[in-house]
Amino acid sequence: MRAAVVTSASLVTCGNFQHFLHEAGLAWDEAVAAGSPWQDCVRESATNLREMLLSHRDGARVFGGTFVTDESLRGAVEVPMGILTTAGFGPDDAARAWGTLLAFVLGFVAEEQAVDRRELDPSQTAAFEERFGFGVDVIVAGL
């Protein structure tokens, strides 16, 4: 049986969550295949996850507000966890690092989605991009 959450906008299943995390994991795969350092993998993953969440109405709120226990999600985090442990992080630290990044992206996107982007001028849109990049860089530097 698949877990599901019903919102006023849509029906979101664990399959959607798995897709979000799977796509974020693919970003790590691609960056590693290109020979990128783990720090670049983290940045790429955060950016891709943000874009995916923004592509769905209330994506961050729905994704972040749901407790998912589906075992199939384990595979979606194995790639980023593997990259972090290969980079020298212990399993607990890798999990904390990934969780910190995920929490930042979810919170940032929830704030972004609370604003009607059609009403923003280009400088306000650029400010979101700059703030997001700065936040991810702070997390990476702290790891």
Side-chain angles (χ1 to χ4, degrees):
M1 183 159 119
R2 294 173 59 123
V5 171
V6 178
T7 68
S8 59
S10 63
L11 174 67
V12 179
T13 66
C14 285
N16 297 106
F17 295 112
Q18 182 179 10
H19 175 74
F20 278 131
L21 292 176
H22 175 72
E23 291 297 317
L26 289 178
W28 291 74
D29 276 343
E30 293 165 7
V32 169
S36 300
W38 69 266
Q39 295 90 338
D40 292 344
C41 297
V42 170
R43 287 181 186 97
E44 183 72 21
S45 180
T47 299
N48 287 349
L49 183 58
R50 176 182 175 225
E51 290 171 1
M52 284 182 287
L53 292 169
L54 285 171
S55 72
H56 298 276
R57 181 175 173 224
D58 296 328
R61 200 175 80 182
V62 172
F63 182 82
T66 305
F67 183 73
V68 181
T69 58
D70 189 324
E71 278 297 310
S72 66
L73 293 175
R74 182 182 307 201
V77 298
E78 284 178 355
V79 173
M81 292 291 292
I83 290 167
L84 290 171
T85 55
T86 299
F89 289 81
D92 289 342
D93 287 342
R96 286 186 202 101
W98 177 244
T100 299
L101 179 68
L102 183 60
F104 171 75
V105 174
L106 287 172
F108 192 90
V109 173
E111 180 183 335
E112 264 185 299
Q113 289 183 321
V115 175
D116 186 348
R117 293 181 67 90
R118 296 171 296 188
E119 295 179 8
L120 298 179
D121 65 47
S123 68
Q124 291 170 312
T125 301
F128 269 113
E129 299 299 322
E130 184 179 329
R131 285 179 44 229
F132 181 78
F134 178 82
V136 171
D137 286 345
V138 166
I139 292 169
V140 170
L143 297 176

mmCIF file with all atom_site columns, all heavy atoms in Angstrom, residues 25-46:
data_model
loop_
_atom_site.group_PDB
_atom_site.id
_atom_site.type_symbol
_atom_site.label_atom_id
_atom_site.label_alt_id
_atom_site.label_comp_id
_atom_site.label_asym_id
_atom_site.label_entity_id
_atom_site.label_seq_id
_atom_site.pdbx_PDB_ins_code
_atom_site.Cartn_x
_atom_site.Cartn_y
_atom_site.Cartn_z
_atom_site.occupancy
_atom_site.B_iso_or_equiv
_atom_site.pdbx_formal_charge
_atom_site.auth_seq_id
_atom_site.auth_comp_id
_atom_site.auth_asym_id
_atom_site.auth_atom_id
_atom_site.pdbx_PDB_model_num
ATOM 1   N N   . GLY A 1 25 ? 19.384 12.801 -6.526  1.00 0.00 ? 25 GLY A N   1
ATOM 2   C CA  . GLY A 1 25 ? 20.484 11.839 -6.523  1.00 0.00 ? 25 GLY A CA  1
ATOM 3   C C   . GLY A 1 25 ? 21.145 11.729 -7.880  1.00 0.00 ? 25 GLY A C   1
ATOM 4   O O   . GLY A 1 25 ? 22.359 11.585 -7.987  1.00 0.00 ? 25 GLY A O   1
ATOM 5   N N   . LEU A 1 26 ? 20.355 11.821 -8.947  1.00 0.00 ? 26 LEU A N   1
ATOM 6   C CA  . LEU A 1 26 ? 20.936 11.783 -10.285 1.00 0.00 ? 26 LEU A CA  1
ATOM 7   C C   . LEU A 1 26 ? 21.875 12.956 -10.525 1.00 0.00 ? 26 LEU A C   1
ATOM 8   O O   . LEU A 1 26 ? 22.874 12.829 -11.208 1.00 0.00 ? 26 LEU A O   1
ATOM 9   C CB  . LEU A 1 26 ? 19.836 11.775 -11.358 1.00 0.00 ? 26 LEU A CB  1
ATOM 10  C CG  . LEU A 1 26 ? 19.028 10.488 -11.467 1.00 0.00 ? 26 LEU A CG  1
ATOM 11  C CD1 . LEU A 1 26 ? 17.951 10.634 -12.531 1.00 0.00 ? 26 LEU A CD1 1
ATOM 12  C CD2 . LEU A 1 26 ? 19.921 9.309  -11.780 1.00 0.00 ? 26 LEU A CD2 1
ATOM 13  N N   . ALA A 1 27 ? 21.554 14.094 -9.950  1.00 0.00 ? 27 ALA A N   1
ATOM 14  C CA  . ALA A 1 27 ? 22.431 15.255 -10.077 1.00 0.00 ? 27 ALA A CA  1
ATOM 15  C C   . ALA A 1 27 ? 23.800 14.936 -9.478  1.00 0.00 ? 27 ALA A C   1
ATOM 16  O O   . ALA A 1 27 ? 24.831 15.315 -10.019 1.00 0.00 ? 27 ALA A O   1
ATOM 17  C CB  . ALA A 1 27 ? 21.826 16.470 -9.394  1.00 0.00 ? 27 ALA A CB  1
ATOM 18  N N   . TRP A 1 28 ? 23.796 14.229 -8.363  1.00 0.00 ? 28 TRP A N   1
ATOM 19  C CA  . TRP A 1 28 ? 25.062 13.832 -7.743  1.00 0.00 ? 28 TRP A CA  1
ATOM 20  C C   . TRP A 1 28 ? 25.808 12.890 -8.684  1.00 0.00 ? 28 TRP A C   1
ATOM 21  O O   . TRP A 1 28 ? 26.997 13.041 -8.888  1.00 0.00 ? 28 TRP A O   1
ATOM 22  C CB  . TRP A 1 28 ? 24.807 13.109 -6.432  1.00 0.00 ? 28 TRP A CB  1
ATOM 23  C CG  . TRP A 1 28 ? 24.277 13.943 -5.329  1.00 0.00 ? 28 TRP A CG  1
ATOM 24  C CD1 . TRP A 1 28 ? 23.010 14.427 -5.214  1.00 0.00 ? 28 TRP A CD1 1
ATOM 25  C CD2 . TRP A 1 28 ? 24.962 14.377 -4.178  1.00 0.00 ? 28 TRP A CD2 1
ATOM 26  N NE1 . TRP A 1 28 ? 22.886 15.131 -4.052  1.00 0.00 ? 28 TRP A NE1 1
ATOM 27  C CE2 . TRP A 1 28 ? 24.057 15.111 -3.396  1.00 0.00 ? 28 TRP A CE2 1
ATOM 28  C CE3 . TRP A 1 28 ? 26.255 14.202 -3.713  1.00 0.00 ? 28 TRP A CE3 1
ATOM 29  C CZ2 . TRP A 1 28 ? 24.416 15.678 -2.179  1.00 0.00 ? 28 TRP A CZ2 1
ATOM 30  C CZ3 . TRP A 1 28 ? 26.609 14.757 -2.506  1.00 0.00 ? 28 TRP A CZ3 1
ATOM 31  C CH2 . TRP A 1 28 ? 25.691 15.491 -1.753  1.00 0.00 ? 28 TRP A CH2 1
ATOM 32  N N   . ASP A 1 29 ? 25.107 11.907 -9.248  1.00 0.00 ? 29 ASP A N   1
ATOM 33  C CA  . ASP A 1 29 ? 25.721 10.952 -10.171 1.00 0.00 ? 29 ASP A CA  1
ATOM 34  C C   . ASP A 1 29 ? 26.401 11.674 -11.322 1.00 0.00 ? 29 ASP A C   1
ATOM 35  O O   . ASP A 1 29 ? 27.527 11.376 -11.678 1.00 0.00 ? 29 ASP A O   1
ATOM 36  C CB  . ASP A 1 29 ? 24.657 10.016 -10.765 1.00 0.00 ? 29 ASP A CB  1
ATOM 37  C CG  . ASP A 1 29 ? 24.327 8.841  -9.872  1.00 0.00 ? 29 ASP A CG  1
ATOM 38  O OD1 . ASP A 1 29 ? 25.113 8.546  -8.951  1.00 0.00 ? 29 ASP A OD1 1
ATOM 39  O OD2 . ASP A 1 29 ? 23.281 8.223  -10.108 1.00 0.00 ? 29 ASP A OD2 1
ATOM 40  N N   . GLU A 1 30 ? 25.680 12.623 -11.934 1.00 0.00 ? 30 GLU A N   1
ATOM 41  C CA  . GLU A 1 30 ? 26.202 13.341 -13.093 1.00 0.00 ? 30 GLU A CA  1
ATOM 42  C C   . GLU A 1 30 ? 27.423 14.171 -12.723 1.00 0.00 ? 30 GLU A C   1
ATOM 43  O O   . GLU A 1 30 ? 28.402 14.221 -13.455 1.00 0.00 ? 30 GLU A O   1
ATOM 44  C CB  . GLU A 1 30 ? 25.114 14.233 -13.693 1.00 0.00 ? 30 GLU A CB  1
ATOM 45  C CG  . GLU A 1 30 ? 23.982 13.437 -14.303 1.00 0.00 ? 30 GLU A CG  1
ATOM 46  C CD  . GLU A 1 30 ? 22.738 14.269 -14.572 1.00 0.00 ? 30 GLU A CD  1
ATOM 47  O OE1 . GLU A 1 30 ? 22.782 15.499 -14.405 1.00 0.00 ? 30 GLU A OE1 1
ATOM 48  O OE2 . GLU A 1 30 ? 21.725 13.666 -14.942 1.00 0.00 ? 30 GLU A OE2 1
ATOM 49  N N   . ALA A 1 31 ? 27.376 14.837 -11.589 1.00 0.00 ? 31 ALA A N   1
ATOM 50  C CA  . ALA A 1 31 ? 28.495 15.666 -11.159 1.00 0.00 ? 31 ALA A CA  1
ATOM 51  C C   . ALA A 1 31 ? 29.725 14.806 -10.855 1.00 0.00 ? 31 ALA A C   1
ATOM 52  O O   . ALA A 1 31 ? 30.845 15.167 -11.213 1.00 0.00 ? 31 ALA A O   1
ATOM 53  C CB  . ALA A 1 31 ? 28.101 16.497 -9.938  1.00 0.00 ? 31 ALA A CB  1
ATOM 54  N N   . VAL A 1 32 ? 29.510 13.665 -10.216 1.00 0.00 ? 32 VAL A N   1
ATOM 55  C CA  . VAL A 1 32 ? 30.627 12.780 -9.898  1.00 0.00 ? 32 VAL A CA  1
ATOM 56  C C   . VAL A 1 32 ? 31.207 12.192 -11.173 1.00 0.00 ? 32 VAL A C   1
ATOM 57  O O   . VAL A 1 32 ? 32.421 12.118 -11.344 1.00 0.00 ? 32 VAL A O   1
ATOM 58  C CB  . VAL A 1 32 ? 30.185 11.667 -8.930  1.00 0.00 ? 32 VAL A CB  1
ATOM 59  C CG1 . VAL A 1 32 ? 31.238 10.596 -8.805  1.00 0.00 ? 32 VAL A CG1 1
ATOM 60  C CG2 . VAL A 1 32 ? 29.887 12.267 -7.571  1.00 0.00 ? 32 VAL A CG2 1
ATOM 61  N N   . ALA A 1 33 ? 30.341 11.798 -12.104 1.00 0.00 ? 33 ALA A N   1
ATOM 62  C CA  . ALA A 1 33 ? 30.803 11.242 -13.371 1.00 0.00 ? 33 ALA A CA  1
ATOM 63  C C   . ALA A 1 33 ? 31.656 12.259 -14.130 1.00 0.00 ? 33 ALA A C   1
ATOM 64  O O   . ALA A 1 33 ? 32.585 11.896 -14.853 1.00 0.00 ? 33 ALA A O   1
ATOM 65  C CB  . ALA A 1 33 ? 29.620 10.798 -14.226 1.00 0.00 ? 33 ALA A CB  1
ATOM 66  N N   . ALA A 1 34 ? 31.350 13.531 -13.945 1.00 0.00 ? 34 ALA A N   1
ATOM 67  C CA  . ALA A 1 34 ? 32.113 14.586 -14.609 1.00 0.00 ? 34 ALA A CA  1
ATOM 68  C C   . ALA A 1 34 ? 33.402 14.898 -13.850 1.00 0.00 ? 34 ALA A C   1
ATOM 69  O O   . ALA A 1 34 ? 34.164 15.770 -14.249 1.00 0.00 ? 34 ALA A O   1
ATOM 70  C CB  . ALA A 1 34 ? 31.259 15.848 -14.731 1.00 0.00 ? 34 ALA A CB  1
ATOM 71  N N   . GLY A 1 35 ? 33.640 14.200 -12.739 1.00 0.00 ? 35 GLY A N   1
ATOM 72  C CA  . GLY A 1 35 ? 34.847 14.404 -11.959 1.00 0.00 ? 35 GLY A CA  1
ATOM 73  C C   . GLY A 1 35 ? 34.785 15.594 -11.027 1.00 0.00 ? 35 GLY A C   1
ATOM 74  O O   . GLY A 1 35 ? 35.808 16.088 -10.563 1.00 0.00 ? 35 GLY A O   1
ATOM 75  N N   . SER A 1 36 ? 33.592 16.050 -10.724 1.00 0.00 ? 36 SER A N   1
ATOM 76  C CA  . SER A 1 36 ? 33.430 17.210 -9.847  1.00 0.00 ? 36 SER A CA  1
ATOM 77  C C   . SER A 1 36 ? 33.716 16.850 -8.397  1.00 0.00 ? 36 SER A C   1
ATOM 78  O O   . SER A 1 36 ? 33.423 15.742 -7.960  1.00 0.00 ? 36 SER A O   1
ATOM 79  C CB  . SER A 1 36 ? 31.999 17.746 -9.932  1.00 0.00 ? 36 SER A CB  1
ATOM 80  O OG  . SER A 1 36 ? 31.696 18.147 -11.242 1.00 0.00 ? 36 SER A OG  1
ATOM 81  N N   . PRO A 1 37 ? 34.266 17.797 -7.625  1.00 0.00 ? 37 PRO A N   1
ATOM 82  C CA  . PRO A 1 37 ? 34.443 17.547 -6.196  1.00 0.00 ? 37 PRO A CA  1
ATOM 83  C C   . PRO A 1 37 ? 33.090 17.456 -5.489  1.00 0.00 ? 37 PRO A C   1
ATOM 84  O O   . PRO A 1 37 ? 32.082 17.944 -5.985  1.00 0.00 ? 37 PRO A O   1
ATOM 85  C CB  . PRO A 1 37 ? 35.229 18.760 -5.697  1.00 0.00 ? 37 PRO A CB  1
ATOM 86  C CG  . PRO A 1 37 ? 35.332 19.715 -6.814  1.00 0.00 ? 37 PRO A CG  1
ATOM 87  C CD  . PRO A 1 37 ? 34.773 19.075 -8.044  1.00 0.00 ? 37 PRO A CD  1
ATOM 88  N N   . TRP A 1 38 ? 33.098 16.834 -4.304  1.00 0.00 ? 38 TRP A N   1
ATOM 89  C CA  . TRP A 1 38 ? 31.845 16.622 -3.583  1.00 0.00 ? 38 TRP A CA  1
ATOM 90  C C   . TRP A 1 38 ? 31.134 17.936 -3.308  1.00 0.00 ? 38 TRP A C   1
ATOM 91  O O   . TRP A 1 38 ? 29.902 17.977 -3.301  1.00 0.00 ? 38 TRP A O   1
ATOM 92  C CB  . TRP A 1 38 ? 32.079 15.824 -2.303  1.00 0.00 ? 38 TRP A CB  1
ATOM 93  C CG  . TRP A 1 38 ? 32.831 16.533 -1.218  1.00 0.00 ? 38 TRP A CG  1
ATOM 94  C CD1 . TRP A 1 38 ? 34.166 16.479 -0.984  1.00 0.00 ? 38 TRP A CD1 1
ATOM 95  C CD2 . TRP A 1 38 ? 32.285 17.414 -0.237  1.00 0.00 ? 38 TRP A CD2 1
ATOM 96  N NE1 . TRP A 1 38 ? 34.488 17.276 0.076   1.00 0.00 ? 38 TRP A NE1 1
ATOM 97  C CE2 . TRP A 1 38 ? 33.354 17.858 0.565   1.00 0.00 ? 38 TRP A CE2 1
ATOM 98  C CE3 . TRP A 1 38 ? 30.997 17.871 0.061   1.00 0.00 ? 38 TRP A CE3 1
ATOM 99  C CZ2 . TRP A 1 38 ? 33.178 18.734 1.627   1.00 0.00 ? 38 TRP A CZ2 1
ATOM 100 C CZ3 . TRP A 1 38 ? 30.825 18.741 1.122   1.00 0.00 ? 38 TRP A CZ3 1
ATOM 101 C CH2 . TRP A 1 38 ? 31.900 19.168 1.893   1.00 0.00 ? 38 TRP A CH2 1
ATOM 102 N N   . GLN A 1 39 ? 31.876 19.016 -3.090  1.00 0.00 ? 39 GLN A N   1
ATOM 103 C CA  . GLN A 1 39 ? 31.251 20.305 -2.806  1.00 0.00 ? 39 GLN A CA  1
ATOM 104 C C   . GLN A 1 39 ? 30.372 20.755 -3.976  1.00 0.00 ? 39 GLN A C   1
ATOM 105 O O   . GLN A 1 39 ? 29.273 21.273 -3.773  1.00 0.00 ? 39 GLN A O   1
ATOM 106 C CB  . GLN A 1 39 ? 32.309 21.387 -2.512  1.00 0.00 ? 39 GLN A CB  1
ATOM 107 C CG  . GLN A 1 39 ? 33.102 21.136 -1.261  1.00 0.00 ? 39 GLN A CG  1
ATOM 108 C CD  . GLN A 1 39 ? 34.375 20.320 -1.499  1.00 0.00 ? 39 GLN A CD  1
ATOM 109 O OE1 . GLN A 1 39 ? 34.509 19.588 -2.486  1.00 0.00 ? 39 GLN A OE1 1
ATOM 110 N NE2 . GLN A 1 39 ? 35.317 20.428 -0.581  1.00 0.00 ? 39 GLN A NE2 1
ATOM 111 N N   . ASP A 1 40 ? 30.853 20.525 -5.197  1.00 0.00 ? 40 ASP A N   1
ATOM 112 C CA  . ASP A 1 40 ? 30.059 20.870 -6.375  1.00 0.00 ? 40 ASP A CA  1
ATOM 113 C C   . ASP A 1 40 ? 28.835 19.966 -6.499  1.00 0.00 ? 40 ASP A C   1
ATOM 114 O O   . ASP A 1 40 ? 27.774 20.398 -6.951  1.00 0.00 ? 40 ASP A O   1
ATOM 115 C CB  . ASP A 1 40 ? 30.904 20.787 -7.645  1.00 0.00 ? 40 ASP A CB  1
ATOM 116 C CG  . ASP A 1 40 ? 31.980 21.864 -7.702  1.00 0.00 ? 40 ASP A CG  1
ATOM 117 O OD1 . ASP A 1 40 ? 31.893 22.853 -6.937  1.00 0.00 ? 40 ASP A OD1 1
ATOM 118 O OD2 . ASP A 1 40 ? 32.920 21.710 -8.507  1.00 0.00 ? 40 ASP A OD2 1
ATOM 119 N N   . CYS A 1 41 ? 28.998 18.713 -6.093  1.00 0.00 ? 41 CYS A N   1
ATOM 120 C CA  . CYS A 1 41 ? 27.861 17.786 -6.109  1.00 0.00 ? 41 CYS A CA  1
ATOM 121 C C   . CYS A 1 41 ? 26.765 18.273 -5.173  1.00 0.00 ? 41 CYS A C   1
ATOM 122 O O   . CYS A 1 41 ? 25.582 18.211 -5.502  1.00 0.00 ? 41 CYS A O   1
ATOM 123 C CB  . CYS A 1 41 ? 28.302 16.385 -5.704  1.00 0.00 ? 41 CYS A CB  1
ATOM 124 S SG  . CYS A 1 41 ? 29.481 15.624 -6.818  1.00 0.00 ? 41 CYS A SG  1
ATOM 125 N N   . VAL A 1 42 ? 27.153 18.746 -3.989  1.00 0.00 ? 42 VAL A N   1
ATOM 126 C CA  . VAL A 1 42 ? 26.183 19.259 -3.025  1.00 0.00 ? 42 VAL A CA  1
ATOM 127 C C   . VAL A 1 42 ? 25.458 20.461 -3.613  1.00 0.00 ? 42 VAL A C   1
ATOM 128 O O   . VAL A 1 42 ? 24.231 20.561 -3.545  1.00 0.00 ? 42 VAL A O   1
ATOM 129 C CB  . VAL A 1 42 ? 26.870 19.622 -1.689  1.00 0.00 ? 42 VAL A CB  1
ATOM 130 C CG1 . VAL A 1 42 ? 25.923 20.369 -0.770  1.00 0.00 ? 42 VAL A CG1 1
ATOM 131 C CG2 . VAL A 1 42 ? 27.379 18.362 -1.009  1.00 0.00 ? 42 VAL A CG2 1
ATOM 132 N N   . ARG A 1 43 ? 26.202 21.389 -4.206  1.00 0.00 ? 43 ARG A N   1
ATOM 133 C CA  . ARG A 1 43 ? 25.588 22.589 -4.792  1.00 0.00 ? 43 ARG A CA  1
ATOM 134 C C   . ARG A 1 43 ? 24.620 22.224 -5.921  1.00 0.00 ? 43 ARG A C   1
ATOM 135 O O   . ARG A 1 43 ? 23.518 22.751 -6.002  1.00 0.00 ? 43 ARG A O   1
ATOM 136 C CB  . ARG A 1 43 ? 26.672 23.528 -5.320  1.00 0.00 ? 43 ARG A CB  1
ATOM 137 C CG  . ARG A 1 43 ? 27.434 24.229 -4.237  1.00 0.00 ? 43 ARG A CG  1
ATOM 138 C CD  . ARG A 1 43 ? 28.483 25.178 -4.832  1.00 0.00 ? 43 ARG A CD  1
ATOM 139 N NE  . ARG A 1 43 ? 29.291 25.739 -3.784  1.00 0.00 ? 43 ARG A NE  1
ATOM 140 C CZ  . ARG A 1 43 ? 30.486 25.264 -3.414  1.00 0.00 ? 43 ARG A CZ  1
ATOM 141 N NH1 . ARG A 1 43 ? 31.011 24.206 -4.027  1.00 0.00 ? 43 ARG A NH1 1
ATOM 142 N NH2 . ARG A 1 43 ? 31.151 25.837 -2.434  1.00 0.00 ? 43 ARG A NH2 1
ATOM 143 N N   . GLU A 1 44 ? 25.048 21.313 -6.782  1.00 0.00 ? 44 GLU A N   1
ATOM 144 C CA  . GLU A 1 44 ? 24.214 20.892 -7.914  1.00 0.00 ? 44 GLU A CA  1
ATOM 145 C C   . GLU A 1 44 ? 22.940 20.207 -7.428  1.00 0.00 ? 44 GLU A C   1
ATOM 146 O O   . GLU A 1 44 ? 21.852 20.442 -7.936  1.00 0.00 ? 44 GLU A O   1
ATOM 147 C CB  . GLU A 1 44 ? 25.009 19.957 -8.819  1.00 0.00 ? 44 GLU A CB  1
ATOM 148 C CG  . GLU A 1 44 ? 24.281 19.516 -10.059 1.00 0.00 ? 44 GLU A CG  1
ATOM 149 C CD  . GLU A 1 44 ? 24.138 20.624 -11.098 1.00 0.00 ? 44 GLU A CD  1
ATOM 150 O OE1 . GLU A 1 44 ? 24.899 21.595 -11.064 1.00 0.00 ? 44 GLU A OE1 1
ATOM 151 O OE2 . GLU A 1 44 ? 23.240 20.496 -11.945 1.00 0.00 ? 44 GLU A OE2 1
ATOM 152 N N   . SER A 1 45 ? 23.083 19.362 -6.431  1.00 0.00 ? 45 SER A N   1
ATOM 153 C CA  . SER A 1 45 ? 21.932 18.662 -5.881  1.00 0.00 ? 45 SER A CA  1
ATOM 154 C C   . SER A 1 45 ? 20.931 19.643 -5.290  1.00 0.00 ? 45 SER A C   1
ATOM 155 O O   . SER A 1 45 ? 19.722 19.532 -5.508  1.00 0.00 ? 45 SER A O   1
ATOM 156 C CB  . SER A 1 45 ? 22.395 17.666 -4.820  1.00 0.00 ? 45 SER A CB  1
ATOM 157 O OG  . SER A 1 45 ? 21.299 16.978 -4.286  1.00 0.00 ? 45 SER A OG  1
ATOM 158 N N   . ALA A 1 46 ? 21.426 20.618 -4.529  1.00 0.00 ? 46 ALA A N   1
ATOM 159 C CA  . ALA A 1 46 ? 20.541 21.618 -3.916  1.00 0.00 ? 46 ALA A CA  1
ATOM 160 C C   . ALA A 1 46 ? 19.796 22.411 -4.989  1.00 0.00 ? 46 ALA A C   1
ATOM 161 O O   . ALA A 1 46 ? 18.587 22.648 -4.884  1.00 0.00 ? 46 ALA A O   1
ATOM 162 C CB  . ALA A 1 46 ? 21.345 22.555 -3.023  1.00 0.00 ? 46 ALA A CB  1
#
